[in-house]
Amino acid sequence: MLKLNGIEKKFPGFSLKNICLEVNKGDYFVILGKSGAGKSLLLEIIAGVTKQDAGKIFFGDEDISCKKIQDRKFVLVYQNLALFPHLNVYNNIAFSLKCNNVQSNTFNNRILEVAQTLSITDLLGRSIEALSGGEAQRVALARALVIKPDILLLDEPLASIDVEMKTELQKLLKKINNSGQTIIHVTHNFDEALALSNRIAVIDKGTILQMGETDDVFQNPQNSFIANLSGVKNFIKAKLIDIPEDSSLKIAVPEKSNIEIKILTDICSGNGFLAFNAKDVFLSENPTETTAVNNFLGVITDINKTQLGYEISVDIGIPVIISVSRLSFQKLGLCLDKKVWASFKASAPYFIPLTNESTLTY
C-alpha cells in the first residue's frame, strides 16, 4: 500500500539514511525509537510536510514523492494536537472538512458519525479550553478521521496523558484500526508499541535497524539496541562455540570470563552478544534438582527495588541481573554479599552475532 524506497534527508548533525519500509492496508504500523532518532521527521516526509532529499514514496502504484501535502490523502496528528482555541469542538472538526472541500450538506452527518465513534457527541458544543487531555486527543482524532484518510499518521499520541486515560485511548486506537483504518504511529515507548502494533520498524540515529511483525522483531532482535529497547537486562559480549557431542546445544563463553553458558541455538559459531531476560533466571540458596543446564554459584553485589519486586545483581563470574518477587526476596533472605545459586535453561538466552552490530559502539 505505502512504500518508502531509499528515503534520505540531511540536516547539520543529523540525517535520515536510506529509509526503506512498507506499510500494508489495515496495518497498525509503529515506528519506535528514542528521542532524536528521526521518527517525527520520517512521519512529516510521509505526510508531505517535509520534502526528502532523495528516495521515492509510492502509494499503491502511484509515485507520490513530489505530491504536496494537500494532494496526499494522509492526515498527520501532531503531539501538541494543534486544535483551534477560538473554535468549539464541532467547528474544529468541521474545519477539517472545509479544508478538504467536502460538500457542506454532508458536514453534520459526518461530524455526528465520527463523534459517536469516538464518544465525544456530548462535547461538540464545548470550547477547546474546557477539554481534558484525553478529550482533546479524541477531538484531534475526530478532526483527522472525519475526512476518511487513507492513512492516519500519529506523532506520539499518548505521550502527554495520564496512565488511566492512556489505557482508554489505546483501546480506542485499536478499535479505529480494527475498523479498517491504516495507522502509522511513532513513539519512544516500548510497551505502547507492543500493545498496539501488528508491524513495527525500529529506528535509531536516522537508520531503520529492523522491521517486521512486532512479535518476531522483539523475539528475534537483530542487534543489541533492539534487545535493550525491549527491556532485556542481561546483555553480554561472548563467543559462541560448538559442542561436538551435542548438536542441539552450543556454549557461549563471555568476554573476560572462563564460565561456559549452554545455549539452544542454530546460529553459527562466532562472536556476538548473549542476551537473556532477568525474569528467566532463578535464585536458590543451595543447588537444587532442576532441568536448567546452567547453574552458577555467585554473590549478590547490588539490590534495587522495583514496582513488582527486586532486581538482584549477582556476580557469577560475569554480572547478571535477576528479577525476584517480594515474597521470594524475603523467603531467601537476600542481602548484599550473600552467596546464591543462579540457574537458567539453555532456551532462556539468545545469541546475536556481532556482524549485525556494526552501527553500535561498545
Side-chain angles (χ1 to χ4, degrees), residues 20-153:
C20 299
L21 60 82
E22 294 184 13
V23 179
N24 301 314
K25 184 176 176 60
D27 273 348
Y28 199 119
F29 192 99
V30 165
I31 301 171
L32 176 66
K34 295 180 178 180
S35 296
K39 307 183 300 295
S40 297
L41 175 59
L42 183 54
L43 210 62
E44 289 184 339
I45 289 173
I46 293 170
V49 175
T50 301
K51 179 73 169 65
Q52 69 273 15
D53 295 331
K56 296 285 187 179
I57 303 174
F58 295 91
F59 185 66
D61 296 327
E62 183 182 6
D63 183 350
I64 63 169
S65 305
C66 297
K67 273 197 169 186
K68 296 179 180 179
I69 183 172
Q70 59 267 30
D71 297 324
R72 304 184 191 192
K73 203 177 175 185
F74 308 156
V75 179
L76 173 56
V77 180
Y78 282 104
Q79 184 178 345
N80 66 4
L81 306 183
L83 297 172
F84 301 115
H86 64 288
L87 300 177
N88 66 11
V89 169
Y90 184 97
N91 287 314
N92 261 277
I93 301 171
F95 183 84
S96 183
L97 294 170
K98 292 175 185 177
C99 288
N100 285 273
N101 300 315
V102 177
Q103 292 184 348
S104 58
N105 61 352
T106 67
F107 276 23
N108 197 56
N109 286 340
R110 294 273 286 267
I111 292 170
L112 290 177
E113 180 184 357
V114 75
Q116 186 174 12
T117 299
L118 300 181
S119 302
I120 58 169
T121 306
D122 59 333
L123 303 179
L124 291 176
R126 192 178 295 184
S127 71
I128 296 303
E129 294 176 346
L131 301 177
S132 68
E135 289 169 341
Q137 187 65 262
R138 287 172 183 261
V139 173
L141 287 171
R143 190 174 65 178
L145 291 169
V146 75
I147 66 167
K148 301 181 179 179
D150 288 321
I151 301 179
L152 178 62
L153 306 170

Side-chain angles (χ1 to χ4, degrees), residues 74-318:
F74 308 156
V75 179
L76 173 56
V77 180
Y78 282 104
Q79 184 178 345
N80 66 4
L81 306 183
L83 297 172
F84 301 115
H86 64 288
L87 300 177
N88 66 11
V89 169
Y90 184 97
N91 287 314
N92 261 277
I93 301 171
F95 183 84
S96 183
L97 294 170
K98 292 175 185 177
C99 288
N100 285 273
N101 300 315
V102 177
Q103 292 184 348
S104 58
N105 61 352
T106 67
F107 276 23
N108 197 56
N109 286 340
R110 294 273 286 267
I111 292 170
L112 290 177
E113 180 184 357
V114 75
Q116 186 174 12
T117 299
L118 300 181
S119 302
I120 58 169
T121 306
D122 59 333
L123 303 179
L124 291 176
R126 192 178 295 184
S127 71
I128 296 303
E129 294 176 346
L131 301 177
S132 68
E135 289 169 341
Q137 187 65 262
R138 287 172 183 261
V139 173
L141 287 171
R143 190 174 65 178
L145 291 169
V146 75
I147 66 167
K148 301 181 179 179
D150 288 321
I151 301 179
L152 178 62
L153 306 170
L154 302 176
D155 184 12
E156 297 276 7
L158 307 178
S160 57
I161 56 177
D162 61 47
V163 174
E164 183 177 354
M165 186 56 66
K166 183 178 291 188
T167 300
E168 290 302 312
L169 280 172
Q170 282 185 348
K171 291 178 182 178
L172 177 60
L173 289 171
K174 286 298 290 183
K175 176 183 175 182
I176 292 168
N177 176 242
N178 288 338
S179 72
Q181 178 66 58
T182 305
I183 298 175
I184 302 177
H185 171 147
V186 306
T187 182
H188 65 277
N189 188 299
F190 167 77
D191 293 329
E192 188 178 307
L194 195 61
L196 289 167
S197 65
N198 69 299
R199 297 184 69 243
I200 193 166
V202 180
I203 186 171
D204 185 48
K205 299 176 184 177
T207 300
I208 298 290
L209 299 182
Q210 191 172 349
M211 181 178 68
E213 294 185 6
T214 303
D215 289 345
D216 183 59
V217 167
F218 289 120
Q219 289 174 12
N220 302 283
Q222 293 179 358
N223 56 54
S224 61
F225 178 87
I226 297 171
N228 186 58
L229 199 65
S230 63
V232 173
K233 298 290 184 179
N234 296 294
F235 210 88
I236 303 156
K237 200 167 187 179
K239 182 176 183 179
L240 194 67
I241 60 177
D242 292 320
I243 303 177
E245 64 273 16
D246 191 340
S247 59
S248 64
L249 292 176
K250 291 186 180 179
I251 290 175
V253 181
E255 189 178 54
K256 298 178 182 178
S257 171
N258 58 4
I259 69 168
E260 296 183 346
I261 297 174
K262 292 182 179 178
I263 175 174
L264 187 64
T265 182
D266 57 3
I267 293 176
C268 296
S269 302
N271 295 318
F273 282 86
L274 188 68
F276 51 97
N277 203 297
K279 69 179 188 319
D280 291 332
V281 187
F282 303 94
L283 287 180
S284 58
E285 291 185 277
N286 301 295
T288 57
E289 289 285 336
T290 176
T291 57
V293 296
N294 294 297
N295 299 281
F296 302 98
L297 180 62
V299 60
I300 296 176
T301 59
D302 195 17
I303 297 172
N304 290 300
K305 200 169 187 178
T306 67
Q307 185 177 0
L308 299 177
Y310 294 86
E311 283 186 351
I312 312 297
S313 297
V314 179
D315 185 350
I316 61 171
I318 56 171

